[in-house]
Amino acid sequence: TRGDRFEFSTRTGLIEHDLGGIVLALTRVPDHDLAVAAVWNSDTEQGSVVVWDLVESAERGRFDLPVGAQPWKLSFGASAAELYIADAHAPRIFQTLLFIDTPSDSSFTEIETDAPIVAMAYAQDAPDPDLLDAQAELGDTGDIYDTPGIERDYHHLCATPAGLNRVDVNDLDAGAWL
């Protein structure tokens, strides 16, 4: 009848968590029930990396990047302690030693690039211990990684600089762009 009111509500099952800014990237930590989020606070112009506990649905901690650095691409290296963070506006990548239990203790160095990075990935090729053991059991004394012309046992970061139509490869062991 006239004047009656109806209210409807729905539950989507989604729970929103405030991480203190805009989440620009999110990825799972290898071999852990954790995620890392690249967060940008436009009011303070502060970029942070938040470690999120997926089981507890709670922030485990965070660390801040230099003022003005805007994290937006994330890539893990050989372990959960090795995190690479591309800056959205500056030509650099932060090579981070990530402490997942106490993220505020994390540290980083900067890798300079020719332009801001639009995509990146970690690549490695190291001897497989199981394959080496199987080779030894067969009495094979040759090195399975002695294929001429093929470099083995490397740790590289591949990055695509904005507007340059190429992929750059950084030798992380040598600390230099190839």
Side-chain angles (χ1 to χ4, degrees):
T1 61
R2 188 177 183 134
D4 287 349
R5 291 184 56 188
F6 294 93
E7 286 187 22
F8 294 94
S9 64
T10 60
R11 295 187 183 179
T12 64
L14 298 177
I15 299 171
E16 185 176 327
H17 298 282
D18 184 2
L19 297 183
I22 301 166
V23 176
L24 299 177
L26 180 68
T27 190
R28 189 163 182 150
V29 178
D31 304 320
H32 292 82
D33 288 329
L34 302 169
V36 292
V39 178
W40 172 247
N41 184 322
S42 57
D43 294 334
T44 62
E45 294 189 0
Q46 179 64 58
S48 304
V49 174
V50 175
V51 177
W52 185 261
D53 189 313
L54 297 169
V55 174
E56 300 295 324
S57 290
E59 183 176 319
R60 183 171 280 192
R62 69 177 57 219
F63 66 92
D64 293 333
L65 295 174
V67 173
Q70 187 174 8
W72 83 302
K73 297 294 180 181
L74 304 170
S75 182
F76 278 96
S79 72
E82 190 177 338
L83 176 64
Y84 298 93
I85 307 159
D87 192 319
H89 296 293
R92 61 185 170 185
I93 297 170
F94 297 99
Q95 183 176 13
T96 308
L97 176 60
L98 177 63
F99 290 97
I100 57 175
D101 292 327
T102 54
S104 61
D105 292 338
S106 300
S107 61
F108 54 84
T109 58
E110 292 184 26
I111 300 173
E112 291 184 22
T113 62
D114 288 338
I117 300 302
V118 295
M120 66 181 170
Y122 174 81
Q124 74 173 356
D125 189 8
D128 181 345
D130 294 333
L131 192 54
L132 292 174
D133 290 344
Q135 180 184 13
E137 286 177 18
L138 294 172
D140 186 355
T141 58
D143 188 347
I144 60 171
Y145 291 98
D146 281 342
T147 307
I150 297 178
E151 178 189 353
R152 300 292 183 166
D153 198 18
Y154 61 82
H155 305 276
H156 291 164
L157 185 64
C158 303
T160 55
L164 297 180
N165 198 28
R166 68 180 196 219
V167 176
D168 293 348
V169 179
N170 186 287
D171 183 334
L172 296 167
D173 294 327
W177 290 102
L178 301 175

